[in-house]
Every structure is written in structure tokens, then in C-alpha cells.
Amino acid sequence: MKLAIVVVEDEPEVRDAVLGDLAPFADTVRIEPAEDVDDALEVVDEIDADGDVVALVLADHRLPGRSGVDMLVEMAGDERTADARKVLVTGQADQADTIRAVNEAGLDHYIAKPWRAARLQEVVRAQLTDFVLEAGLDPLAHLRALDAARALEAITKIGRASCRERV
């Protein structure tokens, strides 16, 4: 099972820039682009059918048809994506949209456009780490994409607890 990141952005140049910034994760994590909400939901179907898990959704707010916030709210109610970490990467969400994303979709982070590649990678690494630890997955299987210090600390705690149980 691989962790998957869904990148939802309708502007090809921006989508390509996000995908380029996520390249360091590509050996460990499945990265799937989508250009709108319907495309993103099809990608989720494919990820699920392949036995992988949506760990993170990076979504623009202004999309053709339904908004990114509408999609994140819908994903919060879908068992395949409810636990996924949700990040808005946008320059156009107003305060009401952002509040709705936090309250109804469980928004985990907001990144304003334009972003810095290093900051995006830092946020992605932190969000993937949160997902793995909260889901109770083995961090070692995904360590190259995670915050190594936090993941190893969690492994150490698990090891200590296991040792105490044996005593």
C-alpha cells in the first residue's frame, strides 16, 4: 500500500509547478494530479481500486464547476478520504470560504500562492507524518517522505511501550 497525494489545480502551469515541487516525494509516495473536482474524485476511485490510500489532498479553491472547498467538504464525508490531510493552496479563498473549509472539511493547513518550494515540501512532509501517525501505520515503510525525527520518535515510543508490556 502506498500513500497518495492528490493535487487539484485547474491551471496547467501551476499544477506542473506543484508537481515539480513534490518530485522529491515521488519515489515513496504516489502523486496524482487532477484538474477539477470530478477529475479528483475519479483519481480517488483509482487510488482506492489500486489498494493505495489518499493521505493528502492539496487543493486550489477556484476550480471550474465546484470549488476546492466544496470538494474538501465532500471528501470529509467519504470514508476513503475522511482521514486524509487537507491543504488549500490558493490565493483566492476569502475568509468565509476558509472558515467553512476549517469547520466543515477539517482543513489542516493553508498555503497562500505564490508559495516557496521548500515551504510546500515542509508542509507536505509534516502532513504526511501526521497522517501516518494518526492512522497507526508503520512509519518505516514511508520514512523517506516523513519528518524523520517525529517518525523515529514515534517508533521509539512504540518500542518502549512494547518492552514494558513484556516485563
Side-chain angles (χ1 to χ4, degrees), residues 2-68:
K2 280 187 103 170
L3 300 180
I5 299 172
V6 180
V7 177
V8 189
E9 171 60 59
D10 62 316
E11 295 181 38
E13 308 81 32
V14 177
R15 187 173 53 248
D16 289 346
V18 173
L19 295 173
D21 290 346
L22 296 179
F25 297 94
D27 289 342
T28 309
V29 177
R30 179 176 176 169
I31 302 169
E32 294 288 346
E35 61 186 43
D36 59 30
V37 174
D38 291 337
D39 191 22
L41 297 176
E42 287 178 20
V43 165
V44 169
D45 289 341
E46 292 170 16
I47 292 167
D48 186 56
D50 292 345
D52 293 332
V53 61
V54 178
L56 175 61
V57 179
L58 299 173
D60 187 15
H61 175 56
R62 302 276 184 222
L63 297 168
R66 294 180 283 164
S67 74

Side-chain angles (χ1 to χ4, degrees), residues 3 5 25 55-58 83-87 106-111 119-134 145-147 150:
L3 300 180
I5 299 172
F25 297 94
L56 175 61
V57 179
L58 299 173
D83 294 333
R85 306 298 291 185
K86 297 163 187 75
V87 176
L107 185 69
D108 296 295
H109 205 85
Y110 183 103
I111 298 175
R119 179 67 183 137
L120 178 67
Q121 292 166 2
E122 179 183 305
V123 168
V124 166
R125 193 170 302 285
Q127 295 301 320
L128 290 174
T129 303
D130 288 345
F131 177 83
V132 166
L133 296 179
E134 289 172 10
L146 305 180
D147 176 333
R150 283 182 49 215

